[in-house]
Amino acid sequence: MAKRARGHLFRAALIPIGRLDTSAHARLRNWPAWLRTAARPKLGDLVRDAAGDGRAAGVPQVILDRADATPLAVLVDARLVSSDGIPVRVPEPPGADTAVSSAEVPDQQPNDAEQSVASVAGGVITAHDADTPESAPAPGGSEGKRPLAAFGDVLGEVLAARQPESRPQDAAQFGLTTLDAAVGGLLPGKLTLVAGAPNAGASLLPAAAARHTALHRQLPVLYAASGLTRTDVVMRVIAAEGPVHYRRLRLNQLTDQEQQTAAAVAEKLQALAGTVWHIDDGTGLRAADISEAARDIEGLALIVVDRLQRLPDPLVPLSGSDLPAAAQALAQLARVLRVPVVAAVDTDEEALLTALDADVTLTVTRQDERAEVTYAERDFGILSTVELRADLACARFTDTPAEAEEAPTTTPLAGATAQAPVAEASADAPVDSVEEADLLAAAKPFTSGASTGISARLNGTLAALAQARAAGDEQDLEVLRQTVAALAAQGPHMPETDEGQRLGTALAAFDKARRSTAPASPQAPAGITPTAAPAPAASATVTERTEPEPEPELVAEAEDVSEAFQDNTVPPEDSGNVKRGRTYTFFTNKIAAAVDQALQETGGDIDEAVKLLKRKAVPDAMALFKLSRVGATYEHSVYPEPLEFLSKPSQKESDQIWEGRHKWRNESLRTAVKKGLQAALDVTALDTNCAYLSAFKTYLPIGALRHHERGYLSGESGIHRVDHFEWHHEDLPNPLGGRVEPGPYLLDEATVRLLIRCHELGLSEPPHILESWTSGGTEALLEKFRRILNESRTEAVQSNDKATEEYVKAMYSRFTSTIGESGKNQELRRADWVHIIRSQAFASLWLKAHRAYREGLTLVQVAGVDEIHLSGDWRQIWKEGRMPGEIKMKRLYTLGGN
């Protein structure tokens, strides 16, 4: 290998360790050593140092393998190497200590060493003839001393690098004009910490640097995700580059335009970053793992660590008391590999940041959409502060509008569709449009989940308003505006935070503007009117359709959530797993506290307390449901894009889904008794307990429904178009209930599963599914919620606590009846869930009837969700009582008697 500098030609040979003679091998540890990846970019300097300049002997340079520091090869003066394979002898400098035993130096087999040498040299530039500044020669007289650099030479390099036209190309950038100007980029060999309290969005800055480096500079990036999954990382990139709404992307609720944008971004990302962006989201990620992975990536330009966790977690090595050591290891990695390392840490505690001792610390603070980043260096303290705009909805920071006009931030990737700002009011907008835009902007921290403290009803209504505004749904918009104005007039409680004060001010301004304009109230449904959706073909007319029973004692005005559910305490981790000796006490205590509060407010009058609790049943049920989902595996879609056949044409009409509601009588038996062909029968009318509560254990779709024609998919749930279904059993109810018209039918998941069960029992042909609209399904979505309510009801029945029993009943029945298109529940819009839960109740009743039939009892009548009339000893099948799974006797009568 050769390098020419200032007219002098330096020649060195890269040889395996095994080519050294015994004496040279013994002195191996005294020579400068370089990791293989660190040696490649500076091979020319190493050649110069190993060769010497003729006046002073060169100093051999040892090349090491990875983190275990095993010597692979050594660069020596080329004049010392002969072509006949004789061991290379390196002259000893005068006074050198040769007492080191050769046994101390790891040896290698010649073949392995030669292969390693080839791998070192193969990826390195061959020494070139460029006139580069020459460092001072290695000091003669001691091969063991490290090579020194002349101050003047380094000064020339520094000044050259600071010229505008020769900015260091290896400094990574955030892609944010103001921040990059203040920080000067992420410099090689430096560890930069990006610190911020939880919810400040600190981890989005390292992600921005990764996006800019990999996507816009096309350079390799290692993204070490400790706490995030690779899916999280990719979704954040898509959201930021689109831009598209991150939460809707996660919940699979993107609008058609956002779907197109996301698809275009994904296509470009695959082309640009498919091979240069490397993600490590393995469990138990350590600093050593990051170091090892980094050494395997050729030309690595940036290492991102997302994130260092302040709270200790035995399953997360990069957490707790291990952070200082991890930061030290990352700083060492940056110095050894000469690459920038940027790590997010989820705290801004000064004591911890001091202990982490990073070269550079960027501290992020945020108030709504305004963010400040404080730039500090270890030796100089705080140097500057810059302002950014926090666009957390799209998982990114941007320059402030003034800065963006002067120097735009990173533009969307070519081919991606840019979107207009969500909350902009046009110049000719209605008088309250500006106030509405301000209100939605102020509500964003709450509707996005970043802030808490407002009532569940207000939060859900504001979220629905934002969605309807984005969709341009004028009918729903006016109804929702009226609801928001009514809530504003009640003076809802606001948290004593900056976000709460801003929302309270915006809410009052919106209410004032509404009052001044006094718009007319159109007659429109409270639910979200569907927009673009796959419309099914017209279904057959149904003549015996039975609407769901009206909810009893519904009141015009709903109350805010009970005080017991306004506490934001996170449920303890051990709550809920009864199989492991854990209980639901945390949740049932809240139900008990709500009942106690109602009794206190009504002076102990149980009937009045029950009325009050029923008014609070919907918001309380939603608050309890959300608590039950804390820490859950699945994150369900709350407002999926509605499908046309799931929407009611009007409040008094039904949608197109057929539920298997029972209204069956054994007509052949009745005819036989009437004609005297059958003796009179003693009949017992039975009533099942908690039909709808038990039906919460059913397969529900998690995300938005998507159309396909792949038949029945057992791992999914949704709505299916099923061809005509034949039933030939007069002594058993039809699983489709009172349907008399031929198919095809639009059936929900619970009904289709019942038809499949009938086929398995040998009672019918399998259902022929023509097309489906499904999403991934699970029984777990409402299971914990069901168990909590069941436990409270059981305790209430055992203690004869009427208030709690009626309260719990109202919670689960009204939860079921209002999560579709009801105006009484703005927090969850899942009409598909409503159908599936109700049909599960009908299916459960059918299965009970079939069990009685199988046990030899005679079925007389099956009706609704909980009524079975039969003849025979039913107590041999079920236990009598009021608990779930038990049966109550309603009355006795004789079929064929007087």
Side-chain angles (χ1 to χ4, degrees), residues 346-578:
D346 63 353
T347 183
D348 54 4
E349 295 177 4
E350 185 175 351
L352 179 57
L353 298 182
T354 301
L356 297 183
D357 194 31
D359 300 297
V360 174
T361 301
L362 304 177
T363 305
V364 181
T365 56
R366 181 177 64 85
Q367 180 178 349
D368 299 328
E369 295 185 355
R370 181 177 178 273
E372 286 189 349
V373 181
T374 302
Y375 165 48
E377 291 189 9
R378 178 197 291 122
D379 297 330
F380 302 101
I382 296 176
L383 298 178
S384 65
T385 298
V386 298
E387 184 175 336
L388 298 174
R389 175 178 172 268
D391 183 12
L392 300 192
C394 296
R396 64 180 186 169
F397 286 100
T398 65
D399 283 307
T400 56
E403 293 292 341
E405 290 175 7
E406 297 175 8
T409 57
T410 303
T411 56
L413 298 177
T417 305
Q419 291 182 303
V422 175
E424 287 291 333
S426 62
D428 56 351
V431 68
D432 63 328
S433 182
V434 174
E435 286 78 6
E436 183 174 286
D438 291 342
L439 173 61
L440 294 180
K444 197 171 184 180
F446 297 93
T447 56
S448 67
S451 299
T452 57
I454 64 174
S455 73
R457 189 181 181 203
L458 177 59
N459 196 14
T461 306
L462 290 171
L465 178 63
Q467 181 174 349
R469 182 184 172 97
D473 192 338
E474 290 301 326
Q475 282 189 323
D476 262 356
L477 270 173
E478 188 53 42
V479 174
L480 290 167
R481 285 165 180 158
Q482 293 177 21
T483 305
V484 172
L487 291 172
Q490 297 174 9
H493 168 77
M494 291 292 154
E496 295 180 359
T497 61
D498 292 339
E499 290 86 353
Q501 292 177 4
R502 182 186 176 197
L503 178 58
T505 302
L507 198 59
F510 175 81
D511 183 38
K512 181 178 180 181
R514 290 286 297 174
R515 290 175 186 274
S516 64
T517 55
S521 302
Q523 297 297 319
I528 292 180
T529 304
T531 52
S539 59
T541 304
V542 179
T543 58
E544 291 194 15
R545 176 131 192 157
T546 305
E547 282 298 300
E549 295 177 357
E551 188 179 341
E553 299 182 44
L554 276 179
V555 293
E557 280 190 32
E559 297 277 344
D560 282 338
V561 67
S562 294
E563 185 177 337
F565 291 103
Q566 294 179 14
D567 180 8
N568 293 325
T569 304
V570 177
E573 293 182 2
D574 62 348
S575 295
N577 195 326
V578 178

Side-chain angles (χ1 to χ4, degrees), residues 689-690 793 797 800 805 880-884 886-888:
N689 297 309
C690 309
R793 181 188 180 277
V797 170
N800 197 27
E805 183 179 358
E880 185 174 4
R882 297 178 58 204
M883 299 300 175
E886 298 177 345
I887 298 289
K888 299 190 297 285

Side-chain angles (χ1 to χ4, degrees), residues 7-31:
H8 187 84
L9 184 63
F10 298 88
R11 294 184 180 276
L14 185 64
I15 63 172
I17 299 297
R19 286 288 307 275
L20 295 174
D21 70 0
T22 304
S23 174
H25 198 283
R27 289 180 281 125
L28 197 61
R29 287 180 181 268
N30 295 337
W31 298 331

Side-chain angles (χ1 to χ4, degrees), residues 61-299:
Q61 308 289 314
V62 181
I63 308 300
L64 306 177
D65 180 29
R66 307 279 293 275
D68 57 6
T70 301
L72 289 176
V74 61
L75 269 172
V76 298
D77 188 342
R79 293 171 296 181
L80 303 177
V81 181
S82 64
S83 59
D84 54 8
I86 297 175
V88 176
R89 176 180 178 275
V90 178
E92 298 181 26
D97 183 5
T98 60
V100 180
S101 168
S102 62
E104 296 178 2
V105 182
D107 204 352
Q108 291 183 315
Q109 295 298 322
N111 290 340
D112 293 339
E114 290 170 5
Q115 185 178 5
S116 299
V117 170
S119 68
V120 173
V124 184
I125 56 169
T126 304
H128 52 78
D129 294 334
D131 291 332
T132 56
E134 182 182 6
S135 297
S142 176
E143 292 179 22
K145 291 186 178 180
R146 298 177 64 84
L148 303 180
F151 181 87
D153 292 337
V154 178
L155 180 62
E157 295 174 2
V158 169
L159 293 177
R162 290 298 177 257
Q163 295 299 318
E165 66 275 9
S166 59
R167 186 174 184 174
Q169 294 302 306
D170 47 359
Q173 307 289 318
F174 291 101
L176 299 167
T177 306
T178 51
L179 185 59
D180 288 331
V183 177
L186 299 167
L187 297 177
K190 300 288 186 181
L191 169 64
T192 299
L193 284 183
V194 181
N199 297 326
S203 64
L204 299 183
L205 284 182
R211 288 190 287 110
H212 188 264
T213 303
L215 307 181
H216 301 278
R217 295 180 64 202
Q218 300 282 284
L219 296 176
V221 171
L222 172 60
Y223 201 104
S226 175
L228 296 177
T229 66
R230 62 191 67 182
T231 303
D232 295 329
V233 174
V234 172
M235 283 190 172
R236 291 186 181 192
V237 175
I238 293 174
E241 290 292 329
V244 295
H245 196 286
Y246 173 64
R247 182 170 177 79
R248 288 202 293 268
L249 176 64
R250 286 200 61 186
L251 298 178
N252 199 18
Q253 297 177 355
L254 294 181
T255 64
D256 289 342
Q257 181 182 355
E258 287 176 326
Q259 287 279 14
Q260 295 174 6
T261 301
V265 171
E267 182 179 351
K268 294 299 177 182
L269 291 178
Q270 183 63 39
L272 297 177
T275 58
V276 297
W277 190 315
H278 308 273
I279 303 173
D280 185 348
D281 66 344
T283 57
L285 187 66
R286 304 167 301 160
D289 299 323
I290 299 172
S291 176
E292 181 177 359
R295 289 176 167 84
D296 289 335
I297 300 174
E298 297 292 339

